Amino acid sequence: MSQNLPAVFNDKGFVSRFNSGRSIKTMKWAAEKQYVTQLLQRNTELTRCSSESIGISLLDAAFSGLSLAPSLGHAYLIPYGPTCTFSPGYKGLLHLVYRAGTIKSVQSVLVYKGDEFTVWTEDGERHIKHVEKHTSGAEVIAAYCIAKYASGEHNIEVMDKSQLDAVEAQATRSDRGGMVWRSAWKGQMQRKAVIRRASAYWPRDDGGRME
């Protein structure tokens, strides 16, 4: 860890870049520095990452406005060999959407084997019935996302198991994505997948952004 921290944390030029690049000016360098220190202490694989990649990840956090605070779960630092990568979590994606003001609420839900789950279209609108009846450890068979717009309209997106598996397969072709999908965070990655797919249809703000 001592090999990574000094080059990134004690570089005044880097700190200036972080502060000037923040999309949310309430994001504080001292706090994010402390969060990264905690993450390095908890994850020995992160300590093997290059100082440069840790710095780039911190800048990504500043540009996106997603804090690395572990309690928020908005974003994570993922080690891929010697490279540290900034990865927004599904809660972080939702935070960006809410911040834009075009979306009132979003639900991302996993469907498990044993649940009652029906999807149908009526009068041009998609509908879902989901009754949770699964037992602990049941297999995920689908995921869906319901977004309610500020305008009063809504959007429903569904991904079945084959589609979720296809996203996982694409990610696991490299060690970069495969590590997360093979970890305890797989459920969050499945939620994130359906949110990303649904977001393609969501309204943007006046600047064409959701963030």
Side-chain angles (χ1 to χ4, degrees), residues 90-112:
Y90 82 90
K91 291 182 180 179
L93 294 179
L94 296 183
H95 179 72
L96 294 177
V97 168
Y98 293 144
R99 197 168 75 195
T102 58
I103 303 292
K104 185 177 180 180
S105 67
V106 176
Q107 282 184 294
S108 177
V109 184
L110 299 180
V111 183
Y112 295 87

Side-chain angles (χ1 to χ4, degrees), residues 9-211:
F9 289 176
N10 298 327
D11 185 333
K12 292 182 180 180
F14 174 83
V15 176
S16 178
R17 288 176 62 195
F18 177 93
N19 287 329
S20 63
R22 293 173 300 167
S23 61
I24 300 296
K25 298 307 179 185
T26 54
M27 178 180 279
K28 302 298 183 184
W29 162 251
E32 298 305 314
K33 173 182 175 180
Q34 183 59 38
Y35 299 146
V36 174
T37 300
Q38 292 173 7
L39 294 171
L40 287 166
Q41 291 172 343
R42 296 174 184 174
N43 189 338
T44 56
E45 290 188 16
L46 275 176
T47 65
R48 302 187 185 101
C49 293
S50 69
S51 179
E52 180 183 8
S53 66
I54 292 174
I56 291 172
S57 296
L58 273 163
L59 292 178
D60 286 341
F63 298 153
S64 68
L66 295 178
S67 173
L68 291 165
S71 61
L72 294 177
H74 285 176
Y76 305 91
L77 296 184
I78 308 297
Y80 300 117
T83 303
C84 173
T85 301
F86 174 81
S87 178
Y90 82 90
K91 291 182 180 179
L93 294 179
L94 296 183
H95 179 72
L96 294 177
V97 168
Y98 293 144
R99 197 168 75 195
T102 58
I103 303 292
K104 185 177 180 180
S105 67
V106 176
Q107 282 184 294
S108 177
V109 184
L110 299 180
V111 183
Y112 295 87
K113 188 175 183 179
D115 290 353
E116 290 184 11
F117 184 61
T118 307
V119 183
W120 75 98
T121 301
E122 185 176 332
D123 297 328
E125 291 191 2
R126 211 171 199 184
H127 301 271
I128 283 180
K129 180 181 179 180
H130 181 198
V131 181
E132 297 180 340
K133 291 187 175 182
H134 63 273
T135 57
S136 177
E139 179 185 19
V140 172
I141 59 171
Y144 63 90
C145 178
I146 302 175
K148 295 183 179 180
Y149 304 158
S151 64
E153 298 177 299
H154 71 276
N155 168 263
I156 296 175
E157 188 67 32
V158 180
M159 295 180 71
D160 61 24
K161 186 177 185 302
S162 65
Q163 292 169 321
L164 292 172
D165 287 347
V167 175
E168 179 179 359
Q170 184 176 13
T172 53
R173 288 192 184 103
S174 68
D175 291 337
R176 292 174 63 84
M179 180 182 296
V180 184
W181 279 88
R182 291 190 293 268
S183 72
W185 302 105
K186 181 173 180 175
Q188 290 204 26
M189 297 302 292
Q190 291 169 321
R191 288 173 181 254
K192 182 177 176 180
V194 73
I195 290 173
R196 280 194 177 279
R197 178 166 171 171
S199 67
Y201 305 99
W202 294 348
R204 266 57 174 172
D205 63 14
D206 291 339
R209 302 161 299 184
M210 288 192 301
E211 56 214 28

